[in-house]
Amino acid sequence: MANKLNLAVFVSGRGSNLKAILNRNDLLPLVTVKGVFSDKIDCPAFEIAREFSIPTFHISFSTKTPYDVASVLIAEFKSLDIDLIVLAGFLKLIPGTVIKEYRDKIINIHPALLPSFGGKGMYGMNVHKAVFKSSAKVSGATIHFVNEIYDEGKIINQKAVDISALKSPDEIAHRVLEVEHLLLPDTIKLFANNKIKIINNRVEILN
Ligand code: GAR
């Protein structure tokens, strides 16, 4: 059997996507979550990590320079032998040095259908409020590679949801989150099974 994929998962808040990864039994033989990283020492997601006996790493993005943050992160990734970095509700910008070193090995989940409703400041409920205000009839979740610009890396996987009958940003958030909890573990599984390839500068999912 191929080696397991070693994951670093980044979180800033509640951690429901982290939980969705950890509760997916079909992923367990394929991946190991080696560490959960956060910019917030008291985020609820750290509690989930501890419940699953996964080491937590608090990285202070506000008191360190991007260079120092990058040095700490790269050192931890190397010592944990990380293959894939998963941003699961992580709200800070990953330093450029880390992105360069781990090009096409960092993925993010975004709670809308990119390239719409993304960019700086577009996170969490801000996204759902903008979607609701626009009167869009579909929303959904996107998994994309992380590059130097917020939400602009190439799209790996998406799932749309019909929101035409929903009456508030909260209802949209709830519906999209259900989809996120499937799409993120599904996409990690595709990575673990070597099904995600970049061909002619496009991301393709192999059968
Ligand atoms: C999720 O909806 C995720 O898509 C979003 O934050 C939420 C985190 O929830 N991420 C962004 O908005 C990034 N731009 P969780 O902590 O319960 O997984």
Side-chain angles (χ1 to χ4, degrees):
M1 194 179 126
N3 283 342
K4 280 189 173 190
L5 201 69
N6 288 337
L7 305 184
V9 181
F10 277 64
V11 290
S12 289
R14 178 178 55 186
S16 71
N17 276 291
L18 169 66
K19 201 168 187 168
I21 296 168
L22 296 170
N23 279 331
R24 266 288 289 265
N25 288 336
D26 58 332
L27 266 184
L28 296 183
L30 302 173
V31 306
T32 307
V33 179
K34 301 280 278 188
V36 173
F37 291 73
S38 183
D39 54 313
K40 296 214 178 80
I41 195 160
D42 53 358
C43 69
F46 268 179
E47 281 306 313
I48 296 168
R50 287 185 202 108
E51 274 168 35
F52 284 82
S53 306
I54 296 166
T56 56
F57 299 83
H58 170 240
I59 312 288
S60 172
F61 276 64
S62 48
T63 59
K64 287 187 168 67
T65 65
Y67 177 82
D68 288 339
V69 170
S71 309
V72 172
L73 289 180
I74 290 170
E76 294 292 4
F77 295 163
K78 297 240 182 273
S79 86
L80 296 169
D81 201 16
I82 295 300
D83 301 305
L84 185 71
I85 297 147
V86 179
L87 310 188
F90 184 69
L91 303 182
K92 292 275 196 267
L93 200 60
I94 296 291
T97 319
V98 178
I99 293 169
K100 230 184 197 163
E101 180 92 16
Y102 285 83
R103 179 80 60 200
D104 301 332
K105 291 186 176 134
I106 311 177
I107 66 173
N108 179 49
I109 182 157
H110 184 77
L113 295 176
L114 293 175
S116 294
F117 303 108
K120 195 168 162 48
M122 281 300 226
Y123 58 86
M125 282 311 292
N126 293 352
V127 178
H128 304 301
K129 283 178 188 161
V131 169
F132 184 70
K133 199 170 165 197
S134 76
S135 306
K137 305 300 182 253
V138 286
S139 190
T142 301
I143 315 287
H144 65 94
F145 281 117
V146 172
N147 69 9
E148 285 77 358
I149 306 165
Y150 272 115
D151 301 328
E152 286 211 358
K154 285 192 192 306
I155 293 168
I156 302 163
N157 210 354
Q158 286 184 306
K159 193 157 176 55
V161 292
D162 180 353
I163 57 164
S164 58
L166 303 187
K167 297 281 183 270
S168 69
D170 279 338
E171 282 186 34
I172 298 174
H174 180 77
R175 188 68 197 91
V176 168
L177 196 61
E178 287 175 345
V179 164
E180 291 185 49
H181 291 166
L182 296 174
L183 188 70
L184 187 56
D186 283 351
T187 306
I188 292 170
K189 192 172 174 185
L190 289 168
F191 274 97
N193 286 326
N194 234 343
K195 298 281 188 193
I196 308 280
K197 297 282 174 209
I198 300 176
I199 300 168
N200 294 333
N201 218 18
R202 295 184 76 256
V203 182
E204 295 197 10
I205 299 177
L206 307 182
N207 288 322

